[in-house]
Amino acid sequence: MTEVAVNSLLEKLLELGRENTELIVGVQDNVNDLVADLQILKAFLKDASKIDGDNQGWKQSLKEIRNVVYKADDSVDKFLVEAKEHQDTHPAAKWIDVPYWINVKNVAKEIQAIKNKVKDLQVKYKPLLETDTQLSTLSMTTPQPIQINLSDEDDVVGLEEEAKTVIDRLIHGSEKLEVVPIVSMAGLGKSTLARKVYRDSRITFEFVSCIWVNVSRSYNKTKVLLNILKHLRKQLDMNKSDEQMIREIRTFLGHGRRCLIVVDDVWSTDIIEFIKHVFPNNKKGHRIMMTSRFEEVGSCFNHDCHKLTFLTDEESWFLLNLKVFGKRYCPSELEETGRNIAKKCNGLPLSVLVTAGVLAGRTTKREWQLVYENMGDCLIYSNDPRTYVGLIKMSYDLLSYYQQACFLYCASFPQSFNIPAWKLIHLWIAEGFIPVQKQFTLEEQAEECLNDLTKKNLLMVIEQSLDGKIKTCRLNDMFYEFCEKEAIEEDIVWAIKNAPDQESLETKDLGTCRRLCIDSSTLSNFLKELRKKPPMENVKSFLCFSSKPIDNQTPDMNKSLHKGFPLIKVLDVEPIRSLFSKDFYRLLHLKYISLSGEFKALPLMFVKFWNLETLIIHTTHKVRTFEVKADIWSMMRLRHLHVNVPAKLPPSSASISKERECNIHTLSVIAPQSCTSEVFTRARNLMKLAIRGQVFSLFDSNASGLSGLDMLKRLEKLKIVNDDPNLEKLKMVNDDQDLEKSKIVYDDQDDSQVMTPPVMVFMLPNTLRKLTLYNTRLNWRDMTKLGPLESLEVLKLRENAFSGEFWEPEIGSFARLEVLWIEKTDLQIWKASSHNFPRLKQLVLILCEELEEVPQGLADIPNLQEIRLECTYKAVKSASIIAKKKLEDHASSSVSRFRLSVFPPHLDADDSS
């Protein structure tokens, strides 16, 4: 995508001019001239966006411009590697390095030639602005969609009776293993119906284990087994064979209660036969629910397939209205056109959703009429999924250039893959897709882009966090096919998905590819062939996603990877057990690194990665802490550090000025011993912090490592996990009347020890929005420190985070709290009212077995929408009284529905909504 390439190169050159002028000594004037011409070219491309994107001549022109920009980008990157290595040599040797200064002159000439080429292209293509076909006024503006929060139930129009039928079939019937197929043509809502059934409370009660597996056209049996095990148990052993995992699944299901597995998007009978082979037929009433476009596939397992029908015109209009306007009414002047648009969708929910994404934010009759005219009669009258391309293209064309790049980039993940939102956002930024805007951080802009794509119904939200943010998302299969094709056309990413033979890898032309995504089944062959080829300086990103490490790895694979792409910027290869070779440390342009391997520490040499922004390390070594030896405080561009075990951070570098703050936004997770005032002084820009380990020492009033938290004036998310190996031997003895009489008893056959209970002696910053405490065993009296936090929206108290029999929050506390989650506590009496939690929306109580009742005063909170109880038996009756009051209050109002869910179901509970 030409605009992305120009913008990315321009930002790089501007950063060099601001921060690293010493690297471009000798070519600075040439770089400045190139910057000026690129800025003109950027403005030219903005004007040229009016040209019809389907014009083949203009497409070819954009490709020519893009190739020139790529050549400039590669030249600058090669030069910077040499300049950086030259800079690191001994000062006395710098000025007698004759080959380097000869190269500087050559690079200056090369940049000048590229600059002249850029000018020539502008002159060459300028006439197109006056003569070429222009887009309609519809695509000249891209209004922001109206913010509409819709639950999955709101999206399911016309499927209520269908869901009831499928649920009955799953719950009742034979004790033998049965398959219930849902079949229909693409776009009718098979997956939507399956998801509604999967989340229904009757299903979660009847089936103790509910598992969702996406398979699609190509699937991996190992990944399917890992997915099943992930739902059945928390600990996964990636080194087990398929047969070992099958035996483990059979053993678990053989002794447990009923299990439901949903297999989404089945293309052949093989995968269902395989899952039937995995499941024990032990007369427990296990069920397999499958979705497929092909009735002949479903009927192989059950002749009575559940066939979806088209929406009526009225249902189509209802869904369109709901997605565009939410709970509000459509303006009368738009209704007639809106009904005509809905009718043209021909009863296909997917067509309605995509069209709603185009209409969202557009408020004039003329704009709606243009949408109606551009839809085309032939667009969706055929059962061929390819007829959706025009509809998807219409929505795609209305995106800004960087939104288009972000959307197409999603094809770099495997089909039907649930994409973690945080990873996607970091990748978009590293790839240079997100333009710089002074008033917003790059992360804020990327998150807004993600939200926008979901509002336009181009990305599906799969999972949301408690604060309503997107946790995982994915592409609908037809959107995936569109993105895959368009991503290659626009040079966004080239995906090599299937395991090709050696010959096809040798002949594949990757000479112009900028980003490569390799399927794990293909990786070994690809890296073997890569060794035979010269370095591919054109490849700037290399991605490989898999749920388990690749078998039969050799050290040569790492060497091939590091030598094969000398100018790489993005490296995400967690399935490879990585090693740090000499060639790895020459990849100086790396901005994003995601690796796994048997690492004990982060080497000192990592400071060479002066461009690094995101570092994700997954160590498979059984260590309790991961030592960060590299001086991360001197890596001024590093923003996100993710490690799967607690990291011990290095001391602050004496060579770095104390006034110079680093730019780290995320530290997850770090060890308690790294929670020092020195660390927090350096990391003042921290927005997300996770701490794990023996955290009791942090609560010591004499040397509290958390006392520096109030320095973090931008901190929004904090997680503290007490992960003590002796935790099972600890027993809290509380005295609510006298804290000094409370104690922690360490009880062992050979040893007995009394410890002082933890006390929250530190202050938390007022910017905190989400707080999670796990097994910290604080006294409920310490809640007085949390209540005044004026930004706190989500509070999760897990596994004895607080201990004691009585809790009464102060009046006026938790003024903005929306979600309260309490899990596993000995709390017995809880007194509270709407004066304590005036904005509470969701209350979750899990394993609060001693809690006598849910405070009745919570019924007076206007925004309270859900109370969820799991294994909190004594409080069920009081929760039911609150539910009845809420339902009575809401019966005659337009306030959101209230829901009480109780598990396991209880005679005193009314699970209603």
Side-chain angles (χ1 to χ4, degrees):
M1 189 163 288
T2 309
E3 295 93 331
V4 168
V6 170
N7 200 59
S8 180
L9 176 58
L10 187 56
E11 287 298 331
K12 179 200 300 180
L13 296 177
L14 288 171
E15 276 185 6
L16 278 172
R18 285 193 305 266
E19 301 172 16
N20 293 284
T21 51
E22 70 279 2
L23 291 178
I24 51 176
V25 171
V27 295
Q28 192 164 2
D29 290 341
N30 304 83
V31 167
N32 290 340
D33 289 344
L34 181 58
V35 166
D37 285 330
L38 285 172
Q39 286 172 329
I40 295 170
L41 180 59
K42 183 179 176 181
F44 167 76
L45 289 172
K46 186 176 180 181
D47 290 338
S49 64
K50 295 177 287 187
I51 297 173
D52 187 354
D54 292 329
N55 182 297
Q56 291 303 314
W58 177 237
K59 276 188 173 181
Q60 191 57 42
S61 305
L62 285 174
K63 203 154 199 167
E64 187 178 353
I65 295 172
R66 203 155 59 226
N67 288 337
V68 171
V69 174
Y70 286 160
K71 185 177 180 183
D73 188 50
D74 294 344
S75 297
V76 171
D77 282 351
K78 277 192 290 184
F79 174 72
L80 287 176
V81 170
E82 294 175 6
K84 191 69 178 166
E85 290 177 346
H86 174 75
Q87 186 188 52
D88 293 341
T89 59
H90 192 276
K94 284 184 182 179
W95 301 105
I96 58 173
D97 187 355
V98 177
Y100 172 75
W101 293 108
I102 292 173
N103 187 49
V104 168
K105 288 186 177 180
N106 292 334
V107 169
K109 290 177 184 176
E110 192 174 345
I111 292 175
Q112 183 62 39
I114 291 168
K115 171 182 168 300
N116 293 336
K117 183 68 174 172
V118 169
K119 269 189 172 179
D120 292 343
L121 288 171
Q122 288 172 228
V123 173
K124 180 179 178 181
Y125 295 121
K126 194 171 182 180
L128 277 171
L129 289 180
E130 285 82 36
T131 60
D132 211 279
T133 307
Q134 304 293 302
L135 286 172
S136 69
T137 54
L138 175 67
S139 58
M140 302 286 280
T141 57
T142 52
Q144 287 299 309
I146 300 166
Q147 178 69 49
I148 300 171
N149 295 316
L150 294 177
S151 67
D152 293 319
E153 285 78 6
D154 290 321
D155 288 344
V156 184
V157 173
L159 294 183
E160 289 79 7
E161 286 302 315
E162 308 258 17
K164 186 177 181 299
T165 302
V166 174
I167 289 168
D168 286 343
R169 288 185 62 178
L170 291 170
I171 291 176
H172 305 298
S174 170
E175 291 181 344
K176 294 181 180 179
L177 174 67
E178 283 189 356
V179 179
V180 177
I182 301 173
V183 299
S184 77
M185 65 170 284
L188 263 181
K190 299 180 296 295
S191 299
T192 305
L193 172 60
R195 198 172 294 113
K196 179 177 175 64
V197 170
Y198 176 76
R199 292 175 177 172
D200 192 276
S201 58
R202 288 167 290 176
I203 291 294
T204 54
F205 168 62
E206 191 66 34
F207 296 91
V208 172
S209 299
C210 295
I211 302 164
W212 184 286
V213 179
N214 296 306
V215 287
S216 224
R217 194 176 308 185
S218 59
Y219 64 91
N220 181 296
K221 290 180 179 178
T222 302
K223 290 180 182 177
V224 171
L225 293 171
L226 283 168
N227 202 339
I228 294 172
L229 278 173
K230 183 181 175 182
H231 282 81
L232 295 180
R233 53 184 295 170
K234 294 181 180 178
Q235 295 295 325
L236 291 178
D237 185 350
M238 298 293 187
N239 297 315
K240 286 186 176 179
S241 67
D242 286 0
E243 281 304 316
Q244 286 175 313
M245 287 191 284
I246 288 171
R247 283 197 297 272
E248 191 172 351
I249 292 167
R250 281 182 181 161
T251 301
F252 186 92
L253 296 178
H255 297 298
R257 287 171 56 190
R258 301 181 77 183
C259 176
L260 167 69
I261 182 166
V262 183
V263 191
D264 191 29
D265 198 19
V266 177
W267 284 66
S268 68
T269 58
D270 299 353
I271 182 61
I272 302 299
E273 293 287 6
F274 174 69
I275 291 174
K276 286 182 71 177
H277 167 69
V278 172
F279 268 53
N281 198 349
N282 55 0
K283 294 187 178 181
K284 297 234 175 177
H286 300 309
R287 294 288 183 264
I288 299 172
M289 178 169 61
M290 59 170 280
T291 70
S292 179
R293 302 181 194 182
F294 312 105
E295 187 176 347
E296 61 270 24
V297 173
S299 59
C300 287
F301 304 102
N302 193 325
H303 292 296
D304 186 14
C305 293
H306 186 90
K307 301 174 189 175
L308 285 183
T309 57
F310 293 91
L311 297 177
T312 65
D313 288 348
E314 193 59 35
E315 287 171 336
S316 295
W317 166 237
F318 180 80
L319 179 58
L320 184 72
N321 191 12
L322 186 69
K323 291 299 290 182
V324 176
F325 296 106
K327 307 295 183 184
R328 299 177 297 109
Y329 291 106
C330 170
S332 56
E333 65 271 17
L334 298 178
E335 183 170 346
E336 183 182 354
T337 310
R339 286 183 176 276
N340 290 335
I341 290 171
K343 188 173 183 179
K344 225 171 187 179
C345 290
N346 231 39
L348 288 163
L350 184 60
S351 298
V352 177
L353 294 177
V354 175
T355 307
V358 176
L359 291 171
R362 303 186 184 279
T363 56
T364 68
K365 188 173 181 178
R366 173 62 183 151
E367 287 176 315
W368 281 48
Q369 188 63 33
L370 281 169
V371 171
Y372 175 74
E373 292 167 3
N374 287 333
M375 286 176 73
D377 287 336
C378 62
L379 194 60
I380 44 182
Y381 282 166
S382 166
N383 284 357
D384 189 346
R386 287 174 296 179
T387 58
Y388 279 97
V389 171
L391 191 60
I392 297 170
K393 186 77 164 60
M394 181 173 69
S395 192
Y396 168 80
D397 285 341
L398 297 180
L399 300 174
S400 65
Y401 75 86
Y402 74 89
Q403 288 176 325
Q404 289 180 346
C406 290
F407 176 55
L408 297 182
Y409 190 77
C410 294
S412 60
F413 292 89
Q415 193 167 1
S416 298
F417 186 84
N418 290 345
I419 308 168
W422 68 270
K423 180 182 272 282
L424 185 60
I425 284 170
H426 292 344
L427 283 167
W428 282 346
I429 292 170
E431 297 287 7
F433 295 155
I434 306 299
V436 175
Q437 287 189 17
K438 289 182 180 178
Q439 63 270 41
F440 300 109
T441 66
L442 289 170
E443 287 78 8
E444 286 170 341
Q445 270 197 260
E447 188 175 358
E448 182 56 35
C449 177
L450 178 60
N451 289 333
D452 206 23
L453 292 175
T454 59
K455 291 174 202 170
K456 289 183 182 341
N457 301 307
L458 294 172
L459 275 176
M460 300 163 57
V461 178
I462 300 301
E463 189 180 2
Q464 288 181 299
S465 59
L466 287 172
D467 55 0
K469 291 184 180 291
I470 299 169
K471 204 169 182 180
T472 57
C473 59
R474 70 179 171 94
L475 285 167
N476 176 282
D477 284 349
M478 280 175 290
F479 289 23
Y480 187 89
E481 291 165 13
F482 171 85
C483 286
E484 198 172 26
K485 180 177 178 296
E486 199 73 17
I488 294 174
E489 181 74 22
E490 292 289 344
D491 287 341
I492 293 297
V493 66
W494 192 330
I496 301 176
K497 303 270 170 130
N498 300 317
D501 55 32
Q502 185 170 320
E503 183 181 352
S504 64
L505 276 172
E506 289 172 348
T507 57
K508 190 175 280 292
D509 179 23
L510 299 174
T512 60
C513 174
R514 306 301 282 182
R515 302 173 189 89
L516 263 180
C517 173
I518 309 291
D519 188 86
S520 55
S521 63
T522 311
L523 188 63
S524 295
N525 285 341
F526 178 84
L527 292 178
K528 282 178 188 175
E529 293 305 315
L530 190 62
R531 272 175 246 157
K532 303 173 187 176
K533 296 184 177 185
M536 299 172 66
E537 294 177 339
N538 55 291
V539 174
K540 300 302 177 80
S541 301
F542 190 86
L543 312 168
C544 180
F545 302 107
S546 176
S547 53
K548 73 178 289 187
I550 295 165
D551 297 327
N552 305 319
Q553 293 188 35
T554 64
D556 286 342
M557 291 176 68
N558 282 281
K559 188 178 283 188
S560 299
L561 195 56
H562 301 157
K563 275 194 168 182
F565 310 114
L567 302 182
I568 197 165
K569 298 178 183 178
V570 174
L571 183 64
D572 195 324
V573 286
E574 280 198 46
I576 301 176
R577 287 187 288 272
S578 295
L579 301 170
F580 300 135
S581 66
K582 287 184 180 179
D583 292 307
F584 174 69
Y585 294 115
R586 295 200 70 199
L587 305 178
L588 300 183
H589 290 291
L590 279 169
K591 298 174 77 173
Y592 175 105
I593 300 175
S594 181
L595 302 174
S596 70
E598 292 193 7
F599 309 126
K600 293 182 181 178
L602 190 72
L604 288 166
M605 292 282 282
F606 260 73
V607 294
K608 291 176 72 71
F609 299 122
W610 60 295
N611 272 319
L612 191 61
E613 295 172 354
T614 298
L615 176 59
I616 303 166
I617 297 290
H618 183 97
T619 178
T620 55
H621 203 286
K622 293 183 178 179
V623 291
R624 289 199 61 81
T625 57
F626 177 82
E627 187 177 1
V628 178
K629 294 181 178 179
D631 184 12
I632 59 172
W633 312 116
S634 64
M635 300 169 70
M636 291 302 163
R637 293 192 182 178
L638 184 64
R639 291 206 298 271
H640 307 284
L641 175 62
H642 296 264
V643 188
N644 65 316
V645 297
K648 288 173 64 178
L649 304 180
S652 181
S653 172
S655 62
I656 304 297
S657 167
K658 292 286 183 185
E659 286 74 34
R660 192 178 178 190
E661 297 171 2
C662 68
N663 201 30
I664 292 180
H665 290 183
T666 304
L667 287 174
S668 178
V669 293
I670 66 172
Q673 50 265 52
S674 291
C675 297
T676 65
S677 294
E678 184 184 41
V679 165
F680 296 144
T681 300
R682 277 284 180 225
R684 286 176 184 261
N685 290 312
L686 207 57
M687 299 178 76
K688 180 179 178 181
L689 173 63
I691 306 163
R692 193 171 87 223
Q694 299 179 43
V695 301
F696 279 169
S697 60
L698 297 178
F699 298 100
D700 186 343
S701 58
N702 296 319
S704 175
L706 297 179
S707 60
L709 282 175
D710 60 345
M711 291 189 289
L712 306 178
K713 302 303 183 186
R714 299 182 64 190
L715 189 67
E716 294 185 358
K717 296 182 181 180
L718 174 63
K719 185 174 186 178
I720 301 176
V721 177
N722 189 25
D723 186 16
D724 192 317
N726 297 315
L727 220 50
E728 295 302 319
K729 300 172 185 177
L730 291 176
K731 180 183 175 185
M732 178 74 79
V733 180
N734 279 289
D735 189 323
D736 289 319
Q737 303 303 316
D738 189 351
L739 273 177
E740 293 182 0
K741 293 181 182 178
S742 299
K743 56 186 179 294
I744 299 176
V745 180
Y746 172 76
D747 190 15
D748 195 6
Q749 290 180 351
D750 304 319
D751 190 17
S752 183
Q753 183 180 351
V754 177
M755 300 165 57
T756 304
V759 179
M760 191 179 287
V761 295
F762 52 87
M763 298 299 293
L764 296 172
N766 268 325
T767 52
L768 206 62
R769 287 194 310 105
K770 184 176 181 180
L771 174 63
T772 302
L773 300 174
Y774 186 101
N775 214 3
T776 47
R777 309 204 179 200
L778 294 159
N779 192 282
W780 287 105
R781 292 185 182 184
D782 283 322
M783 272 290 191
T784 55
K785 304 277 181 36
L786 304 184
L789 295 175
E790 55 195 35
S791 301
L792 191 64
E793 296 174 356
V794 178
L795 178 59
K796 291 184 74 174
L797 309 175
R798 302 188 59 192
E799 293 284 334
N800 296 306
F802 280 78
S803 186
E805 298 176 357
F806 180 83
W807 176 34
E808 183 175 11
E810 294 179 341
I811 293 176
S813 57
F814 301 103
R816 296 191 63 178
L817 194 70
E818 295 183 357
V819 179
L820 177 59
W821 179 301
I822 304 176
E823 180 179 342
K824 197 174 182 182
T825 177
D826 56 356
L827 182 65
Q828 295 180 17
I829 300 171
W830 175 22
K831 293 186 176 182
S833 70
S834 59
H835 298 297
N836 304 118
F837 307 98
R839 296 192 183 184
L840 192 67
K841 291 181 179 178
Q842 184 182 22
L843 172 65
V844 180
L845 301 172
I846 299 174
L847 286 168
C848 302
E849 296 176 300
E850 302 301 319
L851 184 63
E852 294 178 2
E853 66 172 13
V854 179
Q856 292 299 296
L858 301 186
D860 298 324
I861 301 174
N863 292 332
L864 188 62
Q865 296 172 11
E866 180 184 10
I867 294 179
R868 176 152 65 96
L869 305 184
E870 291 185 19
C871 302
T872 305
Y873 308 103
K874 295 180 181 179
V876 171
K877 188 172 182 179
S878 59
S880 296
I881 295 171
I882 293 174
K884 288 173 182 174
K885 187 177 186 307
K886 295 295 289 184
L887 291 170
E888 288 170 4
D889 292 344
H890 295 166
S892 58
S893 68
S894 59
V895 181
S896 301
R897 295 174 296 177
F898 176 83
R899 179 180 180 85
L900 167 65
S901 59
V902 177
F903 184 86
H906 197 279
L907 290 175
D908 292 330
D910 179 16
D911 186 20
S912 56
S913 61

